[in-house]
Amino acid sequence: MERANETLVREFVFLGFSSLARMQLLLFIVFLLLYLFTLGTNAIIISTIVLDRALHNPMYFFLAVLSCSETCYTFVIVPKMLVDLLAQKKTISFLGCAIQMFTFLFLGCSHSFLLAAMGYDRYMAICNPLRYTVLMGHGLCVGLVAAACACGFIVAQIITSLIFHLPFHSSNQLHHFFCDISPVLKLASHHSLFSQLVIFMLGMFVLVIPLLLIMISYIHIISAILKISTSAGRYKTFSTCASHLIVVTVHYGCASFIYLRPKSNYSSSQDILISVSHTILTPLFNPMIYSLRNKEFKSAIRRVVRQVSYPVK
């Protein structure tokens, strides 16, 4: 009888920016400009890599996939967030919340494994330069991306299924701006220790295993760099890895803070701040880090602009 009187949650209300009600129009303008700039820079990167034959190598293949992944990741979260900043009713259906969580988890987890694949690519380029193009063939590159996507899909499927099979009978007020794991779990009427343990272990798998693989790759890379006799040669070789290291540090730093810290330290305001950085600023800076630090890529952009502006008849 008691269960019969409970009301099932059919939609969630986002309260992520409710404390900034007077600033929501300003936030909308700022986030919209950042989002459009992110889409533009990622579109430039992808089109440049596709159009310029000099960039048809494994490193730029992975960069194009990374840019595509980050574009999709922001598309899952940011447009809805922008609409909610102007809307009076900031809601999402139960099914819509599940779809959003699955999609962003799939893309985010795939992103972690993709960074590991990019680390392996740098290891092969520096430690096996003479056999690099043979060992890192197109088939292997596509296989690594497919494996990253498969791992992301499996992890996202398990976590989303575990969370949305829980009973939601109490509050539907979500203290976030999208359907992230911890804010949704807090709204569940009850959840077992087993489900929490599985989610935490999967989070460890997604973040720790790729990070360990990246660290192993860089141990070999640093060892190879130290064997180079000239300081100019060491600097030039290491500079090819600098952009990847910066992106890895930002990605794993933000993700570890959000998903691997103890539940007792959970703070919705801290999560919102880090999530804004992770969903808006990181996809904005990553393309800039890769392109602005890379003379080869800047030369390729100029070639593509000339090719488009003055096509050969």
Side-chain angles (χ1 to χ4, degrees):
M1 185 71 180
E2 183 180 337
R3 183 168 289 275
N5 290 331
E6 292 177 332
T7 303
L8 286 172
V9 171
R10 298 185 183 278
E11 65 178 17
F12 295 102
V13 179
F14 291 125
L15 301 179
F17 298 110
S18 58
S19 61
L20 302 171
R22 294 182 179 179
M23 295 181 61
Q24 289 191 11
L25 180 58
L26 176 62
L27 289 174
F28 172 82
I29 295 170
V30 172
F31 290 158
L32 177 62
L33 292 175
L34 291 174
Y35 179 56
L36 292 175
F37 190 77
T38 301
L39 292 180
T41 51
N42 279 304
I44 290 170
I45 286 178
I46 295 168
S47 57
T48 302
I49 293 170
V50 170
L51 294 172
D52 193 274
R53 289 184 177 274
L55 302 185
H56 290 185
N57 60 52
M59 184 177 81
Y60 290 106
F61 169 77
F62 287 120
L63 178 56
V65 175
L66 183 73
S67 293
C68 185
S69 170
E70 289 184 333
T71 301
C72 295
Y73 184 85
T74 56
F75 185 74
V76 170
I77 297 171
V78 179
K80 171 63 177 167
M81 181 192 72
L82 291 172
V83 170
D84 287 342
L85 282 170
L86 297 182
Q88 291 293 323
K89 190 179 181 183
K90 310 175 194 299
T91 61
I92 188 170
S93 68
F94 188 85
L95 177 61
C97 190
I99 292 171
Q100 186 185 58
M101 180 179 289
F102 169 80
T103 311
F104 99 79
L105 281 176
F106 163 61
L107 293 166
C109 295
S110 301
H111 188 93
S112 289
F113 289 102
L114 182 61
L115 289 175
M118 295 174 78
Y120 178 71
D121 169 69
R122 291 298 82 212
Y123 156 72
M124 294 299 289
I126 293 171
C127 298
N128 297 281
L130 298 178
R131 302 174 61 205
Y132 172 62
T133 53
V134 176
L135 295 173
M136 290 298 293
H138 184 69
L140 179 60
C141 293
V142 172
L144 288 172
V145 172
C149 292
C151 290
F153 181 88
I154 293 168
V155 171
Q157 181 67 48
I158 294 171
I159 292 178
T160 307
S161 297
L162 278 173
I163 290 176
F164 285 90
H165 275 88
L166 295 172
F168 290 87
H169 298 295
S170 53
S171 173
N172 69 338
Q173 296 187 335
L174 202 64
H175 291 273
H176 215 302
F177 60 89
F178 71 99
C179 294
D180 206 353
I181 296 172
S182 293
V184 175
L185 267 178
K186 283 188 72 176
L187 297 183
S189 300
H190 65 268
H191 42 81
S192 65
L193 182 63
F194 172 75
S195 63
Q196 290 185 63
L197 184 61
V198 170
I199 292 169
F200 181 78
M201 291 303 294
L202 287 172
M204 290 282 289
F205 169 71
V206 167
L207 293 173
V208 175
I209 298 301
L211 187 57
L212 284 175
L213 294 174
I214 292 169
M215 289 174 66
I216 291 169
S217 295
Y218 275 99
I219 288 171
H220 289 286
I221 288 170
I222 292 169
S223 176
I225 289 174
L226 292 175
K227 293 176 184 177
I228 299 173
S229 56
T230 64
S231 58
R234 287 194 294 269
Y235 174 80
K236 184 179 179 181
T237 304
F238 185 75
S239 65
T240 63
C241 305
S243 298
H244 179 251
L245 276 174
I246 294 170
V247 171
V248 165
T249 302
V250 172
H251 172 76
Y252 286 100
C254 291
S256 298
F257 179 85
I258 295 172
Y259 299 111
L260 295 186
R261 76 188 192 278
K263 289 291 177 191
S264 57
N265 293 340
Y266 174 77
S267 166
S268 59
S269 58
Q270 284 182 338
D271 261 23
I272 290 169
L273 180 61
I274 298 298
S275 294
V276 166
S277 301
H278 199 48
T279 56
I280 296 177
L281 299 181
T282 302
L284 171 69
F285 290 132
N286 285 356
M288 295 173 65
I289 290 167
Y290 272 103
S291 57
L292 294 180
R293 290 180 55 88
N294 193 320
K295 292 181 180 178
E296 183 184 14
F297 191 83
K298 287 188 281 189
S299 298
I301 291 177
R302 287 192 289 269
R303 287 195 299 271
V304 169
V305 170
R306 285 197 298 269
Q307 179 184 330
V308 173
S309 301
Y310 308 103
V312 178
K313 296 181 180 179

